[in-house]
Amino acid sequence: METMETGQRPADQPLAGNTARQRQDNATPGVIRPRLAGVQRVAFIGNSLPRRCGIATFTSDLQQAIQRSKPRLATAIVAMTDPGQAYAYPATVAFDIHQDTPEDYRRAADHLNAGGFDIVCLQHEFGIFGGPAGAHILDLLAHLEVPVVTTLHTVLEAPDDAQRRVLQGIVRASTTVVVMAEHGRRLLSRVYAVPDAKIAVIPHGIPAFPFVAPDAAKAELGFAGRAVVLTFGLLSPNKGIEASIDAMPAILAARPDAVYVVLGATHPHLLRERGEAYREGLQVRAEALGVADHVVFIDRFFDQATLLEHIAMCDVYVTPYRDLAQMTSGTLAYSFGLGKAVVSTPYAHARELLAEGRGVLVPVGDVAALAREIAALLTDDVRRDALRAEAYAHSRSMTWSCAALRYRAVFDHARRRPRVVPTVDRMTADPAPPELPEPAIDHLVAMYDDTGLFQHARHDLPDRAHGYCIDDNARALLLDAALELAGDAPLPSRLTVASAAFVQHAWNPETGRFRNFMSFDRRWLEASGSEDSHGRALWALGVCAGGDLCPVRRAWAAALFEAALPAAAGFTSPRAWAFTLLGLHGYCAVATRDEVAAELRRRLAERLMALLAAVETPTWVWFETGLAYDNARLSQALLVTGSALAEPAYVAAGLRSLRWLMAVQTGPTGCFRPVGTAGFGDQDKSPPEPFDQQPVEAAAAIAACVCAFHADGDGAWLAEAHRAFAWFLGHNDLAISLVDVATGSCCDGLHPGRANENRGAESVLAFLTGLAELRRLAHERDVHPDRPPRAALHLAAN
């Protein structure tokens, strides 16, 4: 993380003790404190003011924001002290660790365990902990008995072996890891295989400062009548200050009154190693270019109020940083949050924060582009003010008060989850695949009678009042196929036969369509079902035709599929197209000479492609202007069809739309959050309504993400699939497990404050098929450990 300076000191009362070091003597081991609702005591591990660095500022700001958000909540800091240094820490620092003293880490763990803390929030940055790649912190975590939430200030895209081991160890020891940008989430998933369910994105906090014109601050600070360009932060070579100085002659040609203010003390580490040689070299550079009178160096470490006043005076803020992988910049967050027009190089944080026209990006080292963009803003008041207003409006959700509420939500969630304390060896071992429960079908068996599968349940009892439907009986046939592919026992024959017979009986040859709903007394309630129910029946028949273990049933399914397929040509429902394509995937694998099926397959895929082309925008990558149910099946249909037909455009569209959908279906703590039924059909609404959440969405996401993994081999898709499956097990917005793994029953979904305790057929089938999909993947890896991901699934058996 980039260093940002502020001298603001915490004003909170100390949690315990009255010395900066070794305050654990005041703790009372063995005392059981009352456990009140919610998190009551939080400890932060990281650097702390008055140490001069960005982590110290961030840790202190976060601690104070959490404290202000709930005055009765007690907070404390365990501060890291760098070698050879001593700091006059404030009273909120309850313990300090000398960076290179291993014993201090163990003593800090003992102090935290005895202190009655509900949560420990670790601030991680490479370079602030001792040992190879900072490995000493792993010893503290291994002895800690308190749930840990870790904020990762840097996520390396190309770590060395030691860095990878340490970061993976920290992730394993943490209930949740927080990053400040989506780029961090993607790196954790792609490079470190961290499940998305374990990641929360909380933007860097900013002070709540009014939106003001710069004139008053300029007059107060002696810059009245000048066009002010500003860079601030601890001075070091990676800041790219040279480029801004080199740009000044061209800027002055457009605005002769311009001044470039470089605000900040030299970084303490650089100061100890080289003194002020770097600053002096910049001053010589400005003199050589003839712009020394227009470049002002302010060599001070300001308190927060004075710092904000200096930011307020600038017209353009510039971050010409050289490191494009920089994930977080506190200085960028602060200036953006004060409503400043920003010109920046396109490092990771800047790309996200300044996207969609909220700022200006220029290539690293392109002095001409930097000068051109700064000059353009300084000479265009209307554009500059528009950027300022956009930045300020966008940043209101980034204030420290908002960040505190988000962190507290993550803390509350982490506190409710049991923490397994790993050893250092386990923390640094290669990640093991997650354990999956054995499939149990007791509840599913109870939902059957001789007619077929009942639709609904009252709690876990079949609800005869609502009878049966082809949708759920088709899903049962798909589950049977999925279990077989996973190497698990298939459904009992009587269940499979009952569901197949129901599908056959639902076929109405007079209309060429399937009926859907049947009452308990075996009366059909309609002559034809919906397009979607017909498509789902075709899906099940196609999968049976392509892979059922019973040759007689394969022949039956192929014949009925062929008879029912023509109706799909006239369908208008995108989901009916997708379900039919998933059925065609299985059917066409064995009916290779059916030219009618092959032609319809391409026609339906092209329809989905046309929908996507007509609706997609840079921020709405979807087939429709609203989200509904079974959304991921649309992406899955293109993935399996494109893989089978070797059509890269289909695969790319499937991956692109699914990637967007999974991002949309992510809650603030990183958990899978299905599109709520209250938001079905909402136009261009992202994020969508969160409730009611249904199991069918999680099952669809699991299957589609596994298909995506087979399409491009990116392990991040497997992390996404496991994130969706974790929704069933309690990693959801309410932290409620929806399943009884002993019976295989599954609640019908999540309401805003509770689970729906009814356990109908659709829900149990969604859970079991999602489980079977992941067990199938594990089974394939066990049987063929060296086989790479397939370019396509042979069957879309979900």
Side-chain angles (χ1 to χ4, degrees), residues 383-470:
R383 182 182 173 218
R384 188 174 68 251
D385 289 343
L387 279 180
R388 292 184 61 236
E390 178 68 18
Y392 191 80
H394 184 81
S395 63
R396 292 312 85 204
S397 62
M398 295 166 53
T399 60
W400 276 116
S401 60
C402 292
L405 293 177
R406 291 174 178 171
Y407 268 96
R408 280 177 49 198
V410 172
F411 293 165
D412 285 337
H413 178 79
R415 181 175 179 262
R416 290 194 296 265
R417 298 185 63 81
R419 178 174 187 256
V420 177
V421 182
T423 64
V424 173
D425 288 342
R426 285 185 59 199
M427 283 193 284
T428 55
D430 290 334
E435 294 186 9
L436 297 167
E438 296 285 334
I441 61 169
D442 304 56
H443 179 66
L444 181 64
V445 171
M447 291 291 291
Y448 269 89
D449 68 2
D450 291 341
T451 302
L453 181 59
F454 286 106
Q455 283 191 80
H456 297 296
R458 292 287 184 179
H459 289 262
D460 64 348
L461 299 176
D463 184 359
R464 296 175 177 175
H466 290 92
Y468 320 85
C469 68
I470 196 173

Side-chain angles (χ1 to χ4, degrees), residues 116 331 340 504 574 625 693 712 730:
T331 66
K340 294 301 167 183
Q504 176 63 58
T625 57
Q693 299 178 18
D712 72 356

